[in-house]
Amino acid sequence: MRLALAQLNPLVGDLAGNGEKILTACREAADLGADLVLTPELSLWGYPPRDLLLSHNHLVQQSDVLNKMASILAREAPDLAVLVGLAEQAHDPQLPQLFNALALIKSSQWQVVARKQLLPTYDVFDEKRYFRPAGTPAVLEFERDGRRWRLGLTICEDLWVEEALQGKRIAGPDPIAALLPQNIDLLLNLSASPFSQSKELLRQRLAARAAQRLTAPVIYVNQVGGNDELVFDGASFVVDEHAELALQLPSCRESVAIWDATSTATHLDIPTIEPLEKLFRALVLGVRDYADKCGFKRALLGLSGGIDSALVAVIAAAAIGADQVTSLLMPSPWSSAGSIDDALALAKRLGMATHTVSIATLMTNFETALIPTLGKPPEGVTAENLQSRIRGTLLMALANQQDQLLLSTGNKSELAVGYCTLYGDMNGGLAVIGDVYKTNVFNLCDWLDSPAAETCRQEVGLPTKGELIGTTIRQKPPSAELRPNQRDSDSLPDYALLDPLLKALIEERLSTEQLVSRGHNPALIGRVQQLLRRAEFKRRQAPPLLKVSSQAFGSGWRLPIAAE
């Protein structure tokens, strides 16, 4: 039996369009001689559909789309079957009224053949709001060329049951254990698993463990593409019954590949991709899909000559093309000539248009307007924030007038401790690196300027010769340049100390005692904890950010603003 892994990039809620995308993959799979096409979790809806699942019109449309798909496949590829992710309605008045399910389309008909058993409610997931859990495992009998195959069907979280590998798991049944007495030939896991660093390897380890337990190959099909804050990296694969990798699909792009279940081919030697390249490609994909799916053809960002805006400029150029990205330079009396020169040089290397608007006169006008009320010119943090808000206003005005997506350039470290200005540098439609710590911003820029990034730069359409970011930007001490000779280190601990502490607080949620035992300074712990708490009101008003870590400041971060 030949199975087609269809790694697809859906548009959330576009059932008709996603149905056409599945049909296109089926046509390609049929040409490749496939018997069964596998698509990701909720492939007809796109993941996560959130409250669109509560829309009666969408549920009615779902049946219409499935009927149409069944009719077309019966006509165009009568010997082909396809598994499609859908929302199945329950036939009683109890809540929730849906199952996260799989339907088999075959022989001009479709029927639900599996339901998800483990429903995640941690981090960005909230499936118990919409779905009921299934109580029993699903086995699909599929006949091909005189042989009857027994296929175990699982959906995403159903595979995540290995506490020894994960460190923890959600409460509930073990779908893999439930399949042990079923004597299945293959285990299928259809997923929508968002990207985070090191997650790809964990997925493969979980699949390998399931293969060992079941003595059967495991086929894992993942969604790809950016949907709001989430980036899905695809990277679908097959492990054989010996837990060896037998097929690997690419990361961060759509793909259809065939795996022959009767093949005796040895396992693959897959070239490794370093984590920084995976992170960069995920960010590029996230920006590209966010812009495209929200209807933006062009983007705008403020270019300061600093490392954060430089990285965002490179990501934007790779995502939608440098000719579709405009950068605005907004020097103040405190902006160094070197920063202006660095920003212009970067834009030239990328082939990106720039405009320069000095804010010196605007600063004077604002100060003059405020003196009668304040009794003196604004000073200190107020004066610094005023500069940032002037810049934010200019950027929003240009983005509105020119129908551009404004990209915010702040990083996770700044967002964590509140080293950012509401209605200023936080303005924007998307925070590109809002889940990337400052130290990792430097690491990404160092990698981009290294020979190791040349192939990746070529593949995403960036210049391949010489530096992109530039040595002067990469080696410049971080500064907001809102007052003379300002450095980030005037207000914040060194990022080499700050970022590991932030990661332990945000992603691991360690206690003070645990942090001290790791060697963190107690005074610094208390200071950073206070900064993190006090900045919550800013983060609540920040633009959506691309989640690339195990815990981002997005829908999965739910701390109160008014709290001890």
Side-chain angles (χ1 to χ4, degrees):
M1 181 170 64
R2 293 168 61 82
L3 298 100
L5 286 68
Q7 181 172 286
L8 304 178
N9 184 348
L11 174 59
V12 171
D14 183 11
L15 279 73
N18 295 333
E20 286 296 330
K21 187 178 284 285
I22 293 169
L23 286 173
T24 298
C26 286
R27 294 180 184 108
E28 181 178 348
D31 290 342
L32 295 171
D35 300 307
L36 176 63
V37 179
L38 311 177
T39 68
E41 176 183 14
L42 287 174
S43 54
L44 204 58
W45 290 74
Y47 194 95
R50 297 196 168 108
D51 279 10
L52 289 179
L53 288 163
L54 307 179
S55 164
H56 177 72
N57 289 340
H58 279 80
L59 292 169
V60 170
Q61 185 188 21
Q62 175 179 254
S63 295
D64 294 340
V65 171
L66 286 165
N67 290 334
K68 180 180 177 182
M69 292 175 65
S71 176
I72 291 173
L73 282 175
R75 183 173 66 252
E76 296 185 7
D79 295 328
L80 188 68
V82 57
L83 282 170
V84 176
L86 80 163
E88 179 198 4
Q89 291 182 272
H91 300 292
D92 60 53
Q94 298 179 20
L95 298 175
Q97 292 189 314
L98 301 173
F99 291 97
N100 186 338
L102 302 176
L104 179 72
I105 303 177
K106 183 183 179 185
S107 302
S108 76
Q109 297 179 336
W110 63 272
Q111 63 174 340
V112 172
V113 292
R115 296 167 175 169
K116 191 171 184 177
Q117 297 180 66
L118 297 178
L119 302 178
T121 56
Y122 57 86
D123 193 25
V124 298
F125 304 105
D126 197 11
E127 291 201 20
K128 288 186 179 180
R129 176 181 175 91
Y130 311 105
F131 300 117
R132 303 180 189 182
T136 56
V139 176
L140 173 65
E141 292 196 350
F142 192 86
E143 187 171 345
R144 185 60 66 195
D145 296 330
R147 175 176 173 179
R148 186 174 295 275
W149 295 79
R150 292 177 59 78
L151 310 179
L153 305 181
T154 55
I155 303 173
C156 204
E157 192 77 22
D158 293 343
L159 186 67
W160 293 69
V161 293
E162 301 295 336
E163 292 182 33
L165 294 175
Q166 302 163 226
K168 55 187 176 181
R169 56 157 293 191
I170 64 173
D174 181 343
I176 306 304
L179 288 169
L180 285 173
Q182 299 292 329
N183 297 316
I184 63 171
D185 299 298
L186 302 171
L187 176 67
L188 311 183
N189 185 263
L190 308 186
S191 290
S193 177
F195 170 85
S196 67
Q197 297 181 62
S198 77
K199 194 174 184 181
E200 181 180 347
L201 181 58
L202 179 55
R203 294 180 197 134
Q204 292 182 3
R205 288 175 173 170
L206 289 168
R209 178 61 185 140
Q212 291 171 335
R213 293 174 68 186
L214 297 167
T215 320
V218 176
I219 299 92
Y220 176 93
V221 181
N222 191 25
Q223 178 177 285
V224 71
N227 288 331
D228 291 355
E229 67 185 304
L230 302 182
V231 182
F232 298 85
D233 55 322
S236 306
F237 61 87
V238 178
V239 294
D240 63 22
E241 64 271 25
H242 305 295
E244 299 282 0
L245 196 61
L247 179 69
Q248 174 72 69
L249 273 65
S251 297
C252 296
R253 63 180 175 88
E254 287 189 302
S255 181
V256 175
I258 300 293
W259 183 71
D260 190 339
T262 58
S263 172
T264 58
T266 57
H267 72 276
L268 302 180
D269 183 15
I270 305 295
T272 57
I273 301 176
E274 64 175 290
L276 288 172
E277 180 173 346
K278 291 181 182 178
L279 174 59
F280 178 73
R281 288 183 181 273
L283 291 168
V284 169
L285 176 61
V287 172
R288 179 185 298 131
D289 275 3
Y290 190 89
D292 181 56
K293 293 177 181 181
C294 292
F296 287 99
K297 303 297 183 184
R298 298 182 296 164
L300 172 71
L301 71 148
L303 200 59
S304 68
I307 198 163
D308 294 324
S309 63
L311 177 58
V312 172
V314 170
I315 292 169
I320 64 176
D323 59 335
Q324 299 300 318
V325 183
T326 301
S327 57
L328 184 65
L329 283 67
M330 296 166 286
S332 78
W334 317 129
S335 299
S336 67
S339 291
I340 298 169
D341 292 342
D342 290 342
L344 291 171
L346 171 72
K348 183 177 180 180
R349 287 192 292 272
L350 291 173
M352 181 182 298
T354 65
H355 299 287
T356 301
V357 177
S358 172
I359 68 168
T361 301
L362 291 170
M363 289 168 59
T364 300
N365 291 341
F366 270 87
E367 291 171 358
T368 301
L370 288 168
I371 287 173
T373 300
L374 296 176
K376 60 180 180 180
E379 58 189 24
V381 173
T382 303
E384 293 178 21
N385 287 345
L386 190 56
Q387 295 173 57
S388 181
R389 290 181 175 128
I390 290 170
R391 290 179 170 126
T393 299
L394 293 173
L395 286 166
M396 285 304 303
L398 286 177
N400 287 164
Q401 184 68 34
Q402 299 173 167
D403 194 25
Q404 294 166 309
L405 171 63
L406 178 57
L407 301 175
S408 175
T409 60
N411 62 66
K412 187 173 187 174
S413 305
E414 296 169 347
L415 200 57
V417 298
Y419 195 63
C420 48
T421 304
L422 269 177
Y423 326 120
D425 59 308
M426 292 177 69
N427 282 2
L430 180 67
V432 178
I433 56 172
D435 197 28
V436 182
Y437 296 102
K438 185 75 168 190
T439 48
N440 233 13
V441 170
F442 278 101
N443 292 337
L444 267 173
C445 290
D446 288 342
W447 172 77
L448 278 165
D449 278 1
S450 73
E454 185 174 324
T455 299
C456 178
R457 281 165 55 172
Q458 182 179 27
E459 290 177 356
V460 298
L462 293 171
T464 57
K465 301 300 181 183
E467 295 183 321
L468 273 181
I469 304 296
T471 303
T472 55
I473 292 177
R474 289 188 290 107
Q475 296 182 352
K476 185 186 305 180
S479 171
E481 293 193 334
L482 297 174
R483 64 174 184 263
N485 303 313
Q486 184 182 27
R487 296 286 184 269
D488 287 8
S489 55
D490 299 339
S491 304
L492 299 177
D494 185 272
Y495 288 112
L497 294 174
L498 177 62
D499 284 355
L501 179 54
L502 287 174
K503 186 173 183 179
L505 284 167
I506 298 164
E507 299 182 35
E508 300 179 73
R509 299 186 189 253
L510 298 186
S511 67
T512 299
E513 293 73 18
Q514 291 171 313
L515 294 168
V516 170
S517 70
R518 284 195 179 184
H520 293 286
N521 180 279
L524 180 59
I525 294 170
R527 179 187 173 196
V528 173
Q529 286 174 328
Q530 183 182 38
L531 289 171
L532 184 63
R533 285 196 301 270
R534 292 182 61 185
E536 188 60 38
F537 79 101
K538 290 186 179 183
R539 291 189 291 269
R540 192 71 65 87
Q541 301 176 71
L545 54 78
L546 297 177
K547 173 180 161 55
V548 291
S549 74
S550 61
Q551 180 64 72
F553 294 129
S555 62
W557 179 264
R558 304 182 187 183
L559 292 186
I561 294 173
E564 173 59 33

